[in-house]
Amino acid sequence: MPSRPEGEWVKAWKPSVPGLSEVFHARFVHHTYPKHTHETWTVFTVDDGAIRYDLEMRHRGVGRALVTVLPPHVVHDGKPASEAGFRKRVLYVDTGVLGTHLIGRAVDRPDIDDRTLLRALRHLHRSLGTHGDALEAESLMSIVAENLRMHLGDAPTDPAPIDERAAASALRDLLDTHMFETFTLAEASTVIGTSATGLVRSFTRAFGIAPHQHVIARRIEVARKRLLDGEPVATVAVAVGFHDQAHLTRHFKRHVGTTPARFAASASRSGSR
């Protein structure tokens, strides 16, 4: 297989977030996409350079600071807009998240100028690239999807309204019950009877913290106790629901101001004195 031209690379993976079929990051200098379609929505941002593309035979181009939404089943292509090429990040979003009734609006206005949405997408990509932060990524995805629907002219829809405080409390109970497991907002929304976006919004307003932040804080609390009991850091990490020791360390240092290993060692030194 011939190697890619210098400076070109691709990274793709299947995320553990309902409604996302693929995450795709790439840098292209010479690659030109042929005309093609997707079964999913293509939501992408350009981090460097610029892209020229045709969507349903309309000439378009996009550079940094825009969010581009290409609808399913509509022919498009793509190529670098200059010799420098481009670097992009893409989400392939299922039609269960963005309905096919929005295709016409996306064909007419595929490029969205919204700095808040752009920042949210970049935050989402960072979260998707980190093992073990699926709940955070799902929370962010629910907010991004709601904003995309709004830009595409879709009125917000939610199941029958319920008391926000009751919904937030119900979600907190579910998260605490499944604190050490992988538990999705999609599962919680089925149990509680409201949308994932509504749950995130209600929870954050009620408790001043996002659902994934609540789970991380509770896991760190339990991890501290187990480390003080002398359990190995790697064992504690997996036991309290983190992907591995590195994942625990990243969050532990943010919450406690030191690493789990140093925290545990300090307890040993205190005991010896």
Side-chain angles (χ1 to χ4, degrees):
M1 178 182 295
S3 61
R4 287 195 173 277
E6 185 177 355
E8 292 197 341
W9 53 263
V10 165
K11 180 180 180 182
W13 69 97
K14 173 72 171 70
S16 56
V17 174
L20 288 181
S21 62
E22 182 183 318
V23 183
F24 182 84
H25 294 180
R27 171 169 172 76
F28 291 128
V29 179
H30 306 294
H31 177 67
T32 298
Y33 285 100
K35 292 181 178 179
H36 64 285
T37 64
H38 295 284
E39 293 293 313
T40 60
W41 289 81
T42 304
V43 179
F44 73 89
T45 59
V46 176
D47 296 319
D48 287 306
I51 299 174
R52 283 203 302 265
Y53 70 94
D54 289 353
L55 180 65
E56 207 177 50
M57 297 182 291
R58 304 183 197 183
H59 301 302
R60 298 187 182 276
V62 60
R64 300 181 64 180
L66 293 176
V67 176
T68 300
V69 184
L70 304 181
H73 316 304
V74 178
V75 175
H76 59 276
D77 59 12
K79 60 184 177 181
S82 71
E83 293 182 357
F86 61 87
R87 178 166 57 89
K88 67 174 182 176
R89 286 182 280 188
V90 187
L91 299 177
Y92 291 99
V93 181
D94 297 342
T95 54
V97 177
L98 299 177
T100 54
H101 64 288
L102 301 173
I103 288 177
R105 180 64 176 267
V107 170
D108 293 334
R109 299 178 61 184
D111 300 319
I112 301 170
D113 185 1
D114 183 333
R115 295 302 177 93
T116 300
L117 175 59
L118 180 65
R119 285 194 298 270
L121 266 170
R122 288 174 174 167
H123 189 183
L124 173 56
H125 276 284
R126 287 194 297 272
S127 181
L128 288 167
T130 305
H131 286 299
D133 284 347
L135 183 62
E136 178 183 19
E138 190 183 5
S139 299
L140 292 167
M141 181 60 204
S142 69
I143 301 301
V144 165
E146 182 180 63
N147 277 283
L148 288 172
R149 288 191 291 266
M150 179 191 69
H151 278 289
L152 294 173
D154 202 18
T157 58
D158 210 12
I162 61 174
D163 181 80
E164 276 204 345
R165 185 76 190 194
S169 296
L171 177 58
R172 183 173 61 180
D173 290 344
L174 284 171
L175 293 176
D176 288 347
T177 300
H178 301 278
M179 191 187 348
F180 306 137
E181 310 166 19
T182 299
F183 187 72
T184 68
L185 287 173
E187 292 172 313
S189 65
T190 299
V191 173
I192 297 171
T194 191
S195 69
T197 306
L199 285 177
V200 173
R201 190 187 304 114
S202 298
F203 192 97
T204 305
R205 279 203 283 250
F207 302 121
I209 191 172
H212 70 274
Q213 293 172 321
H214 170 78
V215 171
I216 293 296
R218 290 298 311 279
R219 288 177 175 177
I220 294 295
E221 183 180 26
V222 176
R224 292 174 71 146
K225 295 176 182 177
R226 297 180 74 146
L227 289 168
L228 291 178
D229 285 338
E231 293 188 46
V233 177
T235 301
V236 171
V238 176
V240 301
F242 290 100
H243 179 73
D244 53 21
Q245 182 172 336
H247 188 210
L248 167 62
T249 298
R250 181 166 62 87
H251 286 292
F252 195 95
K253 190 172 182 180
R254 186 184 305 162
H255 279 254
V256 185
T258 189
T259 66
R262 289 173 181 165
F263 179 83
S266 72
S268 299
R269 290 194 299 271
S270 298
S272 65
R273 287 198 297 269

